[in-house]
Amino acid sequence: MTDGTNPPSHPQPEPAPGSGGYGFPPGPPAQGGYGYPTPSGGYGYPQSGQQPNPYQQDPGAGYPQDPAAGYPQDPGGGYPQDGGGQWSPAQPGFTRLAGPDLPGSSQPDWEAMADRSAAERRKKRLWMLGGAVTVLALLAGGGTFFLLGDDDGQDAQPANSASASPEPDDSKGPAAYTATVAGDDTLLRDSYGGMGIRLGPDLKVGPLGKRFQVVGKGNGNSWGQSAEPVVDVTKSFTVTARAYNSATKGSRIVMSQGDGESFSFELGVNEVNGKQAWIFRVQTGDKGAAATTRTVTAEGLNMVKTPTLLMATYDADKKAIALYVDGKKAGETPVPPIWQAPGPLQLGRSKHHNIWTGPWQGALHSLKTYDMAFTAEQAAAYKEGKLDPSPKPTHAWLLT
């Protein structure tokens, strides 16, 4: 029996250079102690003349395991370390201690470890919940990324990457590609011609299924521009894009051409009779006088947060322009020859009287130009992905 007090402990000195560690000299451990050679003054062992330690057990005994602590016991009597390893099994001559904490003993504080483990699990659950809420908020906000239908009428599925090394074919365009020119993340790659489009600071490339789109913030930096003119407006042409407008008011231009005093043509959103409508407008005289413009509109449609296929045509033989929305003709109007404004193709803006207007807010992809005017039948077939034979684009960006 003891007098109810724990035996005195003796702090261990720092190990001398070349020694085996704290109390562990080189060579096999001494018998009868926890790796300490002397029975007197040992680490938690009675000195000469003292009562034996009531907590000392037979060699090889292990600590009783607390299931709540989450530490499975090693079959060899050892305990896993932090890195996934295990303590070596008990060796003859090593005595393990059990029971209440002794002064200086190495027994873990199981309750504290369980509390820390529970706290970590709560923290992980909060992070996961926060991430899910963020994703839902982005999807509901309509201003970060959008899943739009592809050219065959099917909805694109989410993905994180796309393959490279594109080669266009004669039916549906490149089977695989990168959105931008290699080594330049701000230059959209032309899949059919050689005319890249330089992106402004706030017209950003984002994922769209296995391909890409660009997303604009609706400010003065939400634009893109080619190096040279892309469309020859003196001849028949068709321009088409898939658009997702997230602005509830004002002018929002998908595509135009010209950077002088005024545009040559523009395709996008404008307010008509106090409400937003899809428009295709051309300039037929110099400097953008109102009397020299011709416009086709598509009114009464759902304009906000609705994936929409837009197609605008100019038939030089008929001297007429037409606008198609989701494969259906919205209108057609006769025009004089279109004025060939100086300057390159524009994304997300248009020039009016030396002022940039219509910053795009939303997403754009599948941008194409053709050197022919599509008929109503071809426009409908294009929407369904059944255009046969398929005219080959002269230029194309962000295909899906």
Side-chain angles (χ1 to χ4, degrees), residues 7-32:
S9 62
H10 296 270
Q12 296 299 305
E14 293 292 329
S19 70
Y22 283 97
F24 292 89
Q31 299 293 326

Side-chain angles (χ1 to χ4, degrees), residues 65-384:
Q65 195 70 21
D66 182 357
Y71 291 85
Q73 188 162 356
D74 181 81
Y79 294 84
Q81 294 176 314
D82 291 340
Q86 296 179 334
W87 295 101
S88 299
Q91 301 294 326
F94 284 80
T95 303
R96 299 182 186 272
L97 303 181
D101 291 344
L102 297 179
S105 74
S106 59
Q107 181 175 349
D109 185 341
W110 300 111
E111 184 175 356
M113 293 173 66
D115 290 343
R116 286 196 297 271
S117 179
E120 288 297 325
R121 287 195 296 271
R122 287 194 296 271
K123 185 183 295 185
K124 289 180 180 178
R125 284 197 295 270
L126 289 175
W127 274 109
M128 293 175 65
L129 179 61
V133 170
T134 300
V135 170
L136 291 175
L138 290 175
L139 287 171
T144 304
F145 61 89
F146 315 96
L147 296 181
L148 312 182
D150 59 16
D151 287 345
D152 59 8
Q154 302 296 321
D155 288 337
Q157 298 301 315
N160 296 323
S161 63
S163 54
S165 302
E167 289 297 335
D169 59 35
D170 294 332
S171 58
K172 296 183 66 176
Y177 63 95
T178 55
T180 55
V181 174
D184 192 342
D185 291 339
T186 65
L187 186 63
L188 293 183
R189 192 181 60 78
D190 185 351
S191 296
Y192 282 86
M195 191 65 65
I197 294 180
R198 179 68 62 187
L199 299 178
D202 289 329
L203 189 62
K204 301 288 189 179
V205 176
L208 176 66
K210 295 182 179 180
R211 304 296 175 88
F212 301 94
Q213 63 188 347
V214 288
V215 181
K217 294 184 178 180
N219 59 30
N221 289 323
S222 302
W223 55 267
Q225 177 176 287
S226 64
E228 300 173 5
V230 169
V231 177
D232 185 351
V233 297
T234 65
K235 301 176 181 178
S236 294
F237 67 86
T238 294
V239 295
T240 183
R242 290 187 179 270
Y244 185 103
N245 169 44
S246 60
T248 58
K249 61 182 179 180
S251 173
R252 306 291 172 179
I253 299 302
V254 172
M255 186 186 308
S256 72
Q257 185 162 285
D259 63 357
E261 291 191 36
S262 187
F263 62 93
S264 190
F265 71 85
E266 61 181 8
L267 172 66
V269 178
N270 200 14
E271 290 195 0
V272 178
N273 299 322
K275 295 183 179 180
Q276 283 189 325
W278 295 112
I279 60 100
F280 177 46
R281 181 180 290 124
V282 298
Q283 188 69 252
T284 62
D286 196 358
K287 299 184 188 283
T292 64
T293 61
R294 298 290 187 274
T295 305
V296 181
T297 64
E299 301 178 58
L301 301 177
N302 189 355
M303 300 294 301
V304 181
K305 296 183 180 179
T306 303
T308 304
L309 171 61
L310 300 174
M311 180 179 288
T313 67
Y314 169 62
D315 190 322
D317 295 331
K318 291 174 59 177
K319 292 183 173 54
I321 59 172
L323 173 63
Y324 298 86
V325 179
D326 288 330
K328 299 178 180 179
K329 180 181 278 189
E332 183 178 79
T333 189
V335 296
I338 299 175
W339 177 54
Q340 192 168 11
L345 186 77
Q346 305 289 328
L347 293 186
R349 66 180 181 178
S350 181
K351 199 71 171 289
H352 284 242
H353 305 290
N354 277 322
I355 298 173
W356 289 114
T357 63
W360 183 254
Q361 181 176 322
L364 300 171
H365 75 97
S366 294
L367 308 165
K368 300 178 185 178
T369 66
Y370 296 83
D371 58 2
M372 57 170 287
F374 277 35
T375 65
E377 293 75 18
Q378 287 175 316
Y382 182 92
K383 169 63 174 65
E384 300 301 323

